[in-house]
Amino acid sequence: MSVRPVHQGDYADVNALHRAVWWPERSSAGWRWLEDNPARQALDAPVGYVVQDRDGVARAFVGNMIQRFWQDGREYFGAQGFSIVVPPELAGCSRGLIRSVCRQDGVFSVFTFNANPASARLYPRFDLKPFPDTHALKLSWVIDPLACLTGRVLRGLVKRAPGLARPLGERLMSPRLGDVDGLKLPDWIEVVTDLSDGSDYGRFWDTLKAEGRMVADRSPEAMRWRVSDPDQTLAPLLLAYRRDGRIIGYAYAQIGKGNAIEPPFLEIIDLIALEGERDAVFALARTLLDNAQALAVAKVRLQVVNPELLEALGPLVRTARREGGWGHCHAWFDPDGPGGDQWAPTPFDGDYSFCTRPAPLRTAGRTAGQRVPAPQTEGKNEGRVAKA
């Protein structure tokens, strides 16, 4: 067995690995979308790594998500390992996969913000330390207690009798899922519809970038690529907080469904505001929670919480369930590069957007091709907005 970069001929085998653990598979267009990541192309980094057998067949996999970061006007790159799948008979091969992600050149940090309790114990062996201070905290707000309870009961049934999973099929769906027509927004909050380079959102990014703190690339180019993921059935919801004619904060949320028997949830992928505008963070989060019922989700989740964000959420934290409890966020920093003291990551910095299982359209009251409209992406380097 040996480790090597993944190539296009491996994608069917990698999808089979995902299918074996009930994780979402990627379409051919979805794999091309990962390849089109502008930050990955800048480093010429692989999409991931595989363990191959004697015949060259991919038997285990880890994804390699490259992100561009900015601090004080300087460009950096970070690497997020994601979707590590190692069959039980290859126990121990995860070390080679993780080592391959950690040893690549050109990155100031290697990190994971989505470790499960078992894998979290592995990362300190590769010099990945718990990061940030809130590394063990996840927040969630229950919107539909009955749906959440039903999902918990179904999970218990399937755990005792795994054969029930397929006959049960897709459960706890609503024909209103993701219907943005029912949104009720305050006057100062709007849906972002323009991600072109010269847009108001683009000017917000320019201001955010100029502040000097370490921030993941949220430029119009990066966002056009993000929202064009062809495997997402419902377009993400981007909200902006506007004051005095300019955007001072934004939120990025996405509907997902963990598996067939769980209810849908609204994943808060990003929540950030300009310095001194902390009230925008609270208002954007409050607006998402207020509209969750109209979007027909059972829960709202925020799975990476930095200390600044936790403080900005204020009283909303008291109404949230504190989940997690293990160190799901770990990071290694190049000793010759910037550290993490000015980096306040959100789920956007991790893998929560493109690894979230999308809700099936056919059970969400829509037919193929009827996506919720994505933000317009006019501008340079336009990302593909594929039909479902």
Side-chain angles (χ1 to χ4, degrees), residues 21-279:
V21 294
W22 297 86
W23 285 359
E25 302 171 46
R26 281 220 162 265
S27 65
S28 296
W31 285 111
R32 289 196 300 271
W33 175 80
L34 282 174
E35 293 171 356
D36 288 345
N37 174 7
R40 185 204 71 81
Q41 292 177 337
L43 282 191
D44 194 25
V47 170
Y49 297 89
V50 298
V51 173
Q52 67 172 8
D53 61 17
R54 293 179 181 177
D55 299 320
V57 176
R59 298 288 307 281
F61 171 78
V62 64
N64 182 44
M65 172 64 168
I66 302 296
Q67 282 212 81
R68 185 182 274 110
F69 290 80
W70 294 93
Q71 184 180 35
D72 292 326
R74 293 191 60 184
E75 178 186 58
Y76 298 93
F77 292 90
Q80 153 93 35
F82 69 93
S83 294
I84 183 167
V85 188
V86 179
E89 64 271 19
L90 296 183
C93 286
S94 59
R95 295 179 179 86
L97 292 171
I98 297 171
R99 192 174 294 115
S100 295
V101 176
C102 291
R103 290 182 176 176
Q104 59 188 317
D105 295 329
V107 297
F108 86 99
S109 179
V110 175
F111 53 92
T112 179
F113 293 152
N114 196 6
N116 61 38
S119 64
R121 295 193 294 268
L122 285 174
Y123 294 112
R125 303 177 188 176
F126 300 92
D127 294 325
L128 275 74
K129 308 298 184 185
F131 170 83
D133 291 343
T134 45
H135 60 89
L137 179 63
K138 299 170 181 269
L139 298 179
S140 71
W141 292 266
V142 173
I143 306 301
D144 186 340
L146 180 58
C148 291
L149 175 61
T150 303
R152 193 155 54 244
V153 170
L154 291 174
R155 284 197 303 273
L157 288 174
V158 170
K159 185 176 181 178
R160 290 192 297 271
L164 286 176
R166 192 173 300 279
L168 282 172
E170 204 74 43
R171 295 280 170 165
L172 301 172
M173 297 290 291
S174 167
R176 297 185 295 105
L177 185 64
D179 185 0
V180 295
D181 292 338
L183 292 179
K184 295 182 179 179
L185 306 179
D187 292 341
W188 50 89
I189 292 180
E190 61 191 45
V191 176
V192 176
T193 59
D194 185 1
L195 291 176
S196 61
D197 291 348
S199 64
D200 286 351
Y201 175 84
R203 285 185 282 276
F204 162 74
W205 162 248
D206 289 340
T207 305
L208 182 67
K209 177 183 170 184
E211 290 178 344
R213 49 178 157 160
M214 176 68 73
V215 287
D217 189 355
R218 296 167 170 87
S219 65
E221 178 195 28
M223 294 301 292
R224 290 194 297 265
W225 175 74
R226 275 288 181 124
V227 303
S228 66
D229 181 353
D231 288 334
Q232 289 298 325
T233 55
L234 300 171
L237 176 62
L238 273 62
L239 297 180
Y241 187 110
R242 187 182 291 274
R243 179 180 291 155
D244 298 329
R246 66 180 188 134
I247 295 174
I248 63 169
Y250 102 108
Y252 174 166
Q254 185 172 304
I255 290 176
K257 195 170 187 291
N259 55 51
I261 58 174
E262 290 186 7
F265 52 82
L266 183 66
E267 198 85 78
I268 299 178
I269 302 296
D270 207 7
L271 196 55
I272 194 168
L274 302 179
E275 287 184 348
E277 305 291 359
R278 180 178 292 175
D279 58 323

Side-chain angles (χ1 to χ4, degrees), residues 369-381:
Q370 290 182 302
R371 287 172 62 108
V372 173
Q376 297 178 19
T377 55
E378 289 84 357
K380 298 178 182 178
N381 302 315

